[in-house]
Amino acid sequence: AWTELLDPGAAVVRLVREDRVAQAISWARARQTGRWAAHQQARGPDRPDPRAVDRRLAAIEADEAWWDTALAGRSVWTLQYEDVIADPAAAVRAVLTAWGVADADAVRVPPVWTTPQGDGRTAIWRDAWRASHGEGTDLHRRR
């Protein structure tokens, strides 16, 4: 594995998403529409597909298990995607502080130039996925 090429003492930052269903929805929507970034135009339909979400969720779980094995025994700083989105500068500074970087709080972190793609359609996809699993939806709360 490529991880064998890493210096044994190398620290690794692992970005994970707490809300894996949202990650699976995002991935399934991008595959369906061809829209991988918020600034892109969709080239295909945007129809909720719970089975596609299940496939992406299974792939995410498999990938996470692979990373767990590949990084076992290494120094890994896990960073939550949701924390990075909420406050990118604080997330970067937390990693730098954990690594012992002097004056980590003084490091200038440039503004984020991307925009999360989550929107009202994401909620509709989540409701369709939840309904396909026999769970309640939030449709009654939407206007």
Side-chain angles (χ1 to χ4, degrees), residues 36-94:
W36 293 88
H39 68 275
Q40 294 176 318
Q41 294 294 320
R43 295 189 318 264
D46 188 352
R47 285 185 229 107
D49 184 348
R51 288 178 295 175
V53 174
D54 284 337
R55 288 190 299 272
R56 295 307 102 211
L57 196 52
I60 291 165
E61 296 294 335
D63 288 348
E64 292 297 333
W66 184 88
W67 281 109
D68 288 343
T69 300
L71 297 173
R74 297 195 173 273
S75 174
V76 178
W77 178 264
T78 301
L79 194 57
Q80 294 285 338
Y81 166 85
E82 289 82 357
D83 293 340
V84 174
I85 294 301
D87 191 344
V92 169
R93 289 185 183 115

Side-chain angles (χ1 to χ4, degrees), residues 11-13 75-78 90-102 104-105:
V12 176
V13 175
S75 174
V76 178
W77 178 264
T78 301
V92 169
R93 289 185 183 115
V95 171
L96 295 176
T97 299
W99 283 353
V101 172
D105 288 338

Side-chain angles (χ1 to χ4, degrees), residues 9 16 18 21-24 26 31 52 54 59 62 77 82 99 116-119 123 128-129 134 136-137 140:
V16 298
E18 186 175 355
V21 173
Q23 182 179 357
S26 178
R31 286 175 54 97
D54 284 337
W77 178 264
E82 289 82 357
W99 283 353
Q117 294 193 118
D119 57 18
W129 179 82
T137 68
H140 63 284

